[in-house]
Amino acid sequence: MTDQSFLHTLGLIVIAAAVFAVVASRLKLPTIVAYLAAGLTLGPLTGLVPDSDAVHTIAESGIVLLLFLVGLELNIDRIRAVGKTAVIAGLGQITATSIVAIGAGKAIGLETSPALVLAVGLTLSSTVVVVKLLVERRASTSVAGQTAIGILLVQDLFVIILLTVVAGLGASGDTEGSPSVLGGIARALGMMAAALFAIVLASKFLLPPVFNWARRNRETVFIASIAWCFTVVAAVHALHLSPEIGAFLAGVSLAQLPHAHDLQRRITPLMNGFVAVFFVSLGIGMTFGTGATFWLKATALAAFVVVGKFTIIMAITHRLGYTRRQAFDSSLLLTQISEFSFIFAATATAAGLAGPEVAALLAVVGLITIPISAISVRFSDQLFANVQHRRFLRMFGSPGAAPPQEPRVPLLGGHVVIVGMNTLGRKLALALHENGTTVLAVDTDPRKLANLPCITVEGDAASPAVLDETGLPAAKLLVSTLHIVETNEFLAYRARHAGIPSVVHAPDLRDVATLLELEVAYLMTPKSDTLREQRRVLTDLGYLERPTS
Amino acid sequence: MTGLAILLVTAAVGFAISQWLRLPVIPLLIALGVALAQLGPEIDETAVSQTLEIGLAFLVFFAGLSLSPAHFKGQSRAVFWVGSVQFATVSALGFFAALALGFETVTALYLGAALATSSTLVVVRQLFRHRGAAGSYRRLVTGVILFQDVSIILVIVLLAHFGTGATATATGSLAFLAVAAVALLLQRTLPKLARSRRFHESDDELVLLGSLALLIIFAYAAASAGLSFAAGAFWAGFALSGFPLTNIVRSVLDSFNTFFLAVFFAALGAQVQLNDTSIFIPALALSAIVFFVTPPLVAAIAEWKGKISSRSAITSGLLLAQTSEFSVIMAVYGQRLGHIDQSVVSLVALVAVITMTLTPFIATPSFAHRLFRFHPLRKRYTPPPDLRDHVIILGYGASGRYTIKPFIEHGITVLVVDHDPANTERLNAKGIHAIAGDGGDLDILERASAADARLVYSALPDPDDAVRVIRHLHGTTPVLARVFEEADAEKITDAGGTPILSSTATTENFLEWFEDFSASNH
């Protein structure tokens, strides 16, 4: 083996992540907390795994896939609904938070330039954490979710410009020359405009024909999409922009294509695996200062992030017309600092703008705020119920305009789920639809779902995400017409577990016994079903008449 | 990151070409990887080696995960016979051929094992494409491949200890058995745990991390027992292969599998060196062994032990005539152990590219039909009685007894053609005319005096067979054919036959049941 240490490190990370994730799920804590704890245990606490570059690519791929997913979920209608608010709230939040944060930095005894660096660090919220929480709660398309993502995008643009400028300052030897600063900003904006232009062109002319053709094979479309994502990331990287922006743009450019939804489902597990590595390695890489004053300062700053950011965003979004709940959820999501905060602090330290203390402080603030935000989002219903009528929320007043509408989730119930749109599946779907039953048809092949009058879901029914989407627990019946016995057995098993009767196709009569063991309500056996039809045809055509002579 | 992007784009091109030209994707991925290394941009070495590293462990794990004995129930005896004879014969022939070509003993051992294994991925795709026809031999073929996979993993383990002395090999084998025993124990017990309520409430993320953690723990356990990492990964997969655990884990890991499959074989191709043209002759010679030895061998044993029709047996043989992704994985592994050098890995990859690429063209029911006339035992069918105005039933199977009932009730003479001699003998004992043979074999129609029959009823699984029968009889005798898909019904009508659409009948029966079901639910 060429690189034993790489596999060894990765192995320890995965095992620790799994162990902590199991504990966290028992305690009903979000997995992010588990991963950070796993990282702290492997790194700073025990020193089992040194902070190394070995797993860097995997961690970074995790973030790339995550942002790709964010982009894929971005819907034009949603942008219209929340775009303006997000931009205003994003800019307002950056201004308000950084002004207060500079004051806070001064208050704990920092010079002007380190205080500025700290302020930027505290202003940013974590896209990775927020999206992870949204995916976990299946709330990415909610008003609060989309607003938070919008605000984060504004922040991302802000930090990218800052990073370009600060890196430029470091390179130009810390001379306070305004031309280089302005030049840096102009260059970053120019690059971004160029990237955006190229992406828009691609999504208009290049991608639709390519992906509509590739769509016929799920694997082709899957690999092609990921390849597109990483290509854009690599291209954007060459323009000195962050991989996050590239991945996001790649996602957006595919979001309006019809296969986007199935693609999201398939990328989610891959992203989960890679992002776990990212969070654990984040924990491993943490370094802390020592002494009581250090921890006191850090805790105070963390408290400022949680309370201050929440109040600022709540005030702005509520003022812009969100309901109390929408504003509450949007704000709660953003009460942490970002991995960008660490990157920015490191870059600024390298450029000589701040001492190592700022980076160490930010590490602790991150360590405190990320779990707090994760836990509070997890329990946001209870939190909201508790504070709803308190004076604290009432001080935000009543909204100024009509609140944006939450996306409508179609309510399913009493429907029949039919998996597999072969001839049998289509006949069943059409017949049941005609007699007034709500039918939901599932198939991996979009062409087989075309021209069906019922609700359709494109995807592999054996996957939990797809089965979730069919609303199985509320269904009346699950029918599978597939020829693959193993999948039929599994679907019957899933249905039994959900307490829903199932009907499956047994193409081979030898499988009947196994399927009956799974308590299917009815077995479809075309070979024996045909007998009546056969008798009819034979009689009609006169083949059953006794031989003359 | 750029390295990964390049590998992914290469893989995407491979998948696109595979979809366009309907070729298997693995040889294309390897070939494009080779082209990339020759012509394309410089790829980051660590990206390639890390991809190979994780990809190797993961793909082996996933293979173990898909290995469920349930896949070949009812065929286990035939699977064992076909698998063991095929693997032993082909690997021995490959070994001696490699020696004759001038390779060293260890290299020849690797080459022998590489030739004896067939590709799960290629075969599964091919079976899917001919799924209408594949009913009877699907289990046998997938079972044989799983048998080969276990065999080649065993070979990898044994080869890992090659040259370390008899004691080391013995302890290695014992450790292998110990890990296997733990895996077997888990395979039996874990599904019961999976049925618990708590497991069902845990989300995909836990399933994902849990199974990957098990993979790593097994791999470490295997490594600390002196075994290969890959052996541990394989048994970890096997430990999770019980129903319904395997389905749950596979559905979560499905996208990982596609991802690693894509980047692994592209990365592998990028490491193959084709500058050395001396590997072309051995590659052709070894490919020839795969093409000319595997099909007749498998066909003969499959027909003898598997109770499937001669033509299904021939198709089974053709389906298995390629080397496996495992052959390539084993070669990469052997190179890491220092047993074989890079040119041998390239040779194994080249043989895989040649043999896998040809599979879709030769492993088709129609090609099997053409080979059928060379079948030596074909003339030995029981000669049918001299009949007139009878009804010929092609294909008996599990529902044949009901098919013939209306005819017998009406006093019409029936003649059954079925591939299973057990069926025909039982029918003969009851005084019903039956001949053992392939219903799709046109010569049998002559023997069954089809021209004088009042009707031919086809219950053959492959609609193309029915079409061939209809064309052969061109209007002399009417043909009824049972089909499932509407598209196949059209084929039958176009050829001049009468289709009986079984899905229509099933829909009617279902709707009757559904009415009762709805009524009792209200």
Side-chain angles (χ1 to χ4, degrees), chain A residues 175-408:
Chain A
T175 47
E176 289 273 326
S178 55
S180 81
V181 174
L182 284 180
I185 295 176
R187 226 191 51 178
L189 287 175
M191 292 294 189
M192 226 163 322
L196 203 62
F197 183 66
I199 291 285
V200 168
L201 278 188
S203 68
K204 265 248 150 18
F205 302 107
L206 173 71
L207 300 174
V210 170
F211 278 92
N212 279 329
W213 175 77
R215 202 171 162 221
R216 278 184 269 161
N217 183 321
R218 294 181 82 218
E219 283 169 347
T220 311
V221 88
F222 175 68
I223 293 297
S225 306
I226 297 186
W228 168 246
C229 167
F230 279 85
T231 308
V232 174
V233 167
V236 159
H237 183 73
L239 294 175
H240 302 289
L241 296 174
S242 78
E244 284 85 353
I245 290 284
F248 174 76
L249 288 178
V252 173
S253 64
L254 293 181
Q256 310 310 322
L257 294 176
H259 75 283
H261 191 60
D262 189 35
L263 193 61
Q264 277 168 33
R265 275 196 236 109
R266 302 198 67 199
I267 292 174
T268 306
L270 199 63
M271 177 278 284
N272 276 332
F274 285 15
V275 151
V277 177
F278 164 75
F279 280 113
V280 177
S281 55
L282 195 65
I284 293 174
M286 295 236 165
T287 43
F288 308 115
T290 46
T293 28
F294 170 80
W295 285 93
L296 204 66
K297 283 179 193 172
T299 317
L301 291 172
F304 162 72
V305 167
V306 173
V307 179
K309 266 191 184 174
F310 176 83
T311 316
I312 291 167
I313 299 165
M314 177 91 197
I316 300 174
T317 49
H318 196 48
R319 188 46 44 98
L320 288 170
Y322 280 29
T323 65
R324 214 172 258 182
R325 183 63 207 255
Q326 286 169 340
F328 181 85
D329 283 347
S330 314
S331 319
L332 208 55
L333 277 167
L334 297 164
T335 53
Q336 77 289 92
I337 65 166
S338 165
E339 64 284 353
F340 266 134
S341 306
F342 310 137
I343 297 170
F344 181 73
T347 316
T349 312
L353 293 177
E357 197 197 0
V358 174
L361 278 172
L362 283 174
V364 179
V365 173
L367 198 62
I368 298 172
T369 56
I370 292 173
I372 286 183
S373 69
I375 294 165
S376 53
V377 167
R378 172 123 205 181
F379 295 103
S380 63
D381 289 341
Q382 289 93 320
L383 269 178
F384 186 73
N386 265 323
V387 296
Q388 198 173 9
H389 302 294
R390 301 274 164 86
R391 183 170 298 167
F392 175 67
L393 275 197
R394 255 186 273 153
M395 76 186 186
F396 292 104
S398 48
Q405 291 289 307
E406 291 292 336
R408 263 180 306 151

Side-chain angles (χ1 to χ4, degrees), chain A residues 453-479:
Chain A
C454 52
I455 315 166
T456 58
V457 170
E458 180 184 334
D460 176 8
S463 108
V466 175
L467 218 51
D468 264 1
E469 224 163 285
T470 64
L472 185 64
K476 178 182 185 178
L477 183 69
L478 172 79
V479 182

Side-chain angles (χ1 to χ4, degrees), chain B residues 20 49 73 100 113 148 161 233 244 252 269 284 323 352 357 360 381 389 410 478 485 500 503 511:
Chain B
W20 182 37
S49 80
K73 57 187 163 201
Q148 294 172 341
H161 291 277
V252 174
L284 287 176
T323 63
T357 309
Y381 293 133
D389 203 29
H410 286 81
E485 295 285 351
I500 296 185
S503 43
L511 289 174

Side-chain angles (χ1 to χ4, degrees), chain B residues 34-178:
Chain B
V34 172
L36 181 73
Q38 305 287 321
L39 322 161
E42 194 75 22
I43 325 170
D44 182 16
E45 262 304 308
T46 49
V48 172
S49 80
Q50 285 188 355
T51 305
L52 286 177
E53 210 77 59
I54 318 177
L56 182 72
F58 189 85
L59 292 176
V60 173
F61 170 73
F62 206 81
L65 188 59
S66 317
L67 174 89
S68 175
H71 283 305
F72 47 93
K73 57 187 163 201
Q75 286 278 11
S76 25
R77 227 168 70 91
V79 164
F80 175 78
W81 274 98
V82 175
S84 50
V85 174
Q86 186 273 145
F87 197 87
T89 314
V90 176
S91 55
L93 274 172
F95 172 72
F96 289 117
L99 286 183
L101 286 164
F103 289 101
E104 285 171 27
T105 319
V106 180
T107 309
L109 279 172
Y110 271 94
L111 288 173
L115 292 193
T117 319
S118 317
S119 164
T120 316
L121 296 159
V122 171
V123 172
V124 165
R125 251 158 238 251
Q126 195 64 13
L127 281 174
F128 183 74
R129 204 186 288 172
H130 298 285
R131 58 191 174 284
S136 54
Y137 52 82
R138 189 173 58 92
R139 281 176 191 217
L140 176 74
V141 171
T142 44
V144 171
I145 294 183
L146 293 174
F147 182 92
Q148 294 172 341
D149 285 353
V150 177
S151 310
I152 199 164
I153 299 275
L154 265 165
V155 170
I156 293 180
V157 170
L158 291 177
L159 285 175
H161 291 277
F162 192 84
T164 52
T167 1
T169 311
T171 46
S173 311
L174 274 181
F176 180 79
L177 288 177

